[in-house]
Amino acid sequence: MHTVVATSRRRRRRLVAGAALAAAAALTLAACGGSGTEKDASGKIKLDVRTDVFYTGAVLPLVAGVDQGIYAKHGLNVTLNPGKGSATTLQTVANGSDDLGYADAGALVQAAGRNMPVQMVAGMVQRSPLAIFAKKDSGIRTAKDLAGKSAGYTAGSAPETVFPAFAKAAGLDPDSVTLKKVDVPARDSLFVQGTTQFTFGLLNVTEPNMKEKCKCDLVALGYADAGLDVLSSGIVTSDKFAKENPDAVRKFLAATAEAVEATNKDIDGAVASFFKVASTSTLSKDVVKKQWEASNALLTTAATKGQPFGCTAEADWKSTIKVMEQYGGVEAGKLSPADVASNAHLAKCADSLGGK
């Protein structure tokens, strides 16, 4: 059975009393190959996977892959859970509440800089879509125009997490703006209603949605345009899970690659799956489709173009780490690409990035 739920289904492990029962439990794990993961009645590996926020077109292949049985075909029973920002998803993956997640690379580097044991095992939307949006009639044209303006702020969301770096790079005093702590839906609603003058978001996700909601022309201030040459989002897991369950990680990434291919072959079918899963979504079918089309155009960087799905490049990670050192509070020289990323569970990548 494949389920999509709003809260993580954590494996309920009971304390085993007595040496005999402990030995029996060990034998059971050995019979399953010693992977450390649980299996359902049909022998499929159970996995909890958390996205960065509530489902958008950026994760369309993940949602469609569950609904269309692609993960099941690869021997996986995936429970997909919506997140509350990349930083939060990284925390749940690091502490074992979730097995894998979809999160921002810059946020991951910051987390690893704070000794959080996480790594990215596949890039997905690799070229950075991080941006700030304002209405054209707001008078905002550059980052410095944001001074004195306000926006909703979602702690843990990737654009907000990296905002101090963007502000410094663009010559904006981050203390000159007013930030109101809200969740992502409220953040966007405040902007549409005109309560705030700008909003955080992603070129591939926020822009199509905002254009439809506010029926307005937008100014987009891309973080990349300010010199923040950072990787965007991908599949993350904990160091512990990657080390103890390499087969499960490989199967999940292979299934995700197939789900991306299937989505591109039939986007409308994938969108139909999206709304079967995310029945409470307020996005329109057209927006979800446009979000994925924009995301698909960002799947690789210049360094990974032509490589199989998921491969990330050492040079891109070096650039991302450097930016986070300069602007994101990461200690200089503390991290190397191998500390935060691995291509070990993928095939035919140009850079080995063997992981930790």
Side-chain angles (χ1 to χ4, degrees), residues 1-2 18 25 28 48 53 59 65 77-78 87 140 149 171 176 186 199-200 269 278 285 325 355:
M1 179 185 295
H2 300 271
T28 300
D48 284 316
V53 293
V59 295
N77 181 338
V78 172
I140 295 172
K149 306 297 193 300
S176 68
T199 191
F200 297 95
K285 290 182 179 180
E325 288 176 344

Side-chain angles (χ1 to χ4, degrees), residues 183-192 199-200 206 209-210 213:
D183 60 16
V184 171
R187 179 194 71 184
D188 294 346
S189 294
L190 288 171
F191 175 71
V192 171
T199 191
F200 297 95
T206 310
N209 191 31
M210 285 295 103
K213 283 188 173 181

Side-chain angles (χ1 to χ4, degrees), residues 6 9 34 42 95 102 111 124 128 141 199 236 239-240 243 273:
R9 172 226 0 104
S42 64
N95 67 27
Y102 174 89
M124 196 160 169
S128 179
R141 295 292 181 271
T199 191
V236 301
D239 297 347
K240 184 176 186 292
K243 181 179 180 180
S273 287

Side-chain angles (χ1 to χ4, degrees), residues 129-136 138 140 146 150-151 159 166 187-188 191 196-211 214 216-223:
L130 301 182
I132 283 171
F133 299 93
K135 297 174 184 176
K136 276 195 174 179
S138 68
I140 295 172
L146 298 174
S150 65
F166 168 77
R187 179 194 71 184
D188 294 346
F191 175 71
T196 56
Q197 292 77 51
F198 69 96
T199 191
F200 297 95
L202 307 172
L203 293 168
N204 59 323
V205 172
T206 310
E207 190 165 26
N209 191 31
M210 285 295 103
K211 282 184 175 179
C214 73
C216 62
D217 293 325
L218 297 173
V219 172
L221 305 177
Y223 284 23

Side-chain angles (χ1 to χ4, degrees), residues 53-87:
V53 293
F54 193 73
Y55 313 123
T56 68
V59 295
L60 183 57
L62 302 185
V63 182
V66 172
D67 180 67
Q68 296 175 7
I70 294 173
Y71 289 104
K73 189 176 79 172
H74 285 259
L76 304 174
N77 181 338
V78 172
T79 297
L80 195 63
N81 306 289
K84 296 182 179 180
S86 287

Side-chain angles (χ1 to χ4, degrees), residues 13-340:
R13 304 187 187 278
R14 295 181 174 86
L15 293 174
V16 180
L21 287 178
L27 288 172
T28 300
L29 283 175
C32 292
S35 66
T37 54
E38 285 190 2
K39 295 185 178 181
D40 64 15
S42 64
K44 294 182 178 65
I45 298 171
K46 294 181 179 181
L47 292 177
D48 284 316
V49 180
R50 189 170 298 276
T51 58
D52 53 345
V53 293
F54 193 73
Y55 313 123
T56 68
V59 295
L60 183 57
L62 302 185
V63 182
V66 172
D67 180 67
Q68 296 175 7
I70 294 173
Y71 289 104
K73 189 176 79 172
H74 285 259
L76 304 174
N77 181 338
V78 172
T79 297
L80 195 63
N81 306 289
K84 296 182 179 180
S86 287
T88 303
T89 295
L90 288 164
Q91 289 172 0
T92 64
V93 167
N95 67 27
S97 298
D98 292 297
D99 301 312
L100 299 114
Y102 174 89
D104 178 73
L108 182 144
V109 170
Q110 287 182 310
R114 296 190 296 271
N115 301 315
M116 191 178 291
V118 288
Q119 60 182 274
M120 185 172 287
V121 290
M124 196 160 169
V125 180
Q126 293 196 46
R127 273 190 286 152
S128 179
L130 301 182
I132 283 171
F133 299 93
K135 297 174 184 176
K136 276 195 174 179
D137 60 8
S138 68
I140 295 172
R141 295 292 181 271
T142 69
K144 291 182 180 180
D145 296 329
L146 298 174
K149 306 297 193 300
S150 65
Y153 180 96
T154 303
S157 179
E160 287 90 325
T161 299
V162 186
F163 173 66
F166 168 77
K168 290 180 182 179
L172 170 72
D173 178 1
D175 294 329
S176 68
V177 302
T178 300
L179 302 176
K180 305 175 181 181
K181 191 173 181 179
V182 293
D183 60 16
V184 171
R187 179 194 71 184
D188 294 346
S189 294
L190 288 171
F191 175 71
V192 171
Q193 295 164 5
T195 304
T196 56
Q197 292 77 51
F198 69 96
T199 191
F200 297 95
L202 307 172
L203 293 168
N204 59 323
V205 172
T206 310
E207 190 165 26
N209 191 31
M210 285 295 103
K211 282 184 175 179
E212 180 175 278
K213 283 188 173 181
C214 73
K215 295 179 173 57
C216 62
D217 293 325
L218 297 173
V219 172
L221 305 177
Y223 284 23
D225 295 334
L228 293 184
D229 188 11
V230 296
L231 285 165
S232 186
S233 303
I235 306 302
V236 301
T237 191
S238 69
D239 297 347
K240 184 176 186 292
F241 190 84
K243 181 179 180 180
E244 295 181 356
N245 305 282
D247 185 54
V249 175
R250 280 194 295 270
K251 287 182 177 180
F252 182 81
L253 298 184
T256 301
E258 184 174 331
V260 169
E261 185 177 354
T263 295
N264 287 331
K265 285 182 179 178
D266 183 10
I267 298 181
D268 290 335
V271 171
S273 287
F274 180 95
F275 285 98
K276 281 198 282 181
V277 168
S279 59
T280 61
S281 175
T282 59
L283 300 175
S284 70
K285 290 182 179 180
D286 185 57
V287 164
V288 172
K289 184 175 182 178
K290 287 180 178 177
Q291 286 176 334
W292 171 248
E293 289 173 338
S295 299
N296 189 51
L298 302 172
L299 290 190
T300 60
T301 67
T304 56
K305 186 176 181 180
Q307 294 184 46
F309 168 81
C311 296
T312 58
E314 184 171 3
D316 290 333
W317 281 110
K318 286 181 178 179
S319 175
T320 302
I321 292 169
K322 183 177 179 180
V323 168
M324 290 300 104
E325 288 176 344
Q326 291 177 319
Y327 305 110
V330 176
E331 180 183 341
K334 181 173 183 177
L335 299 174
S336 69
D339 291 322
V340 294

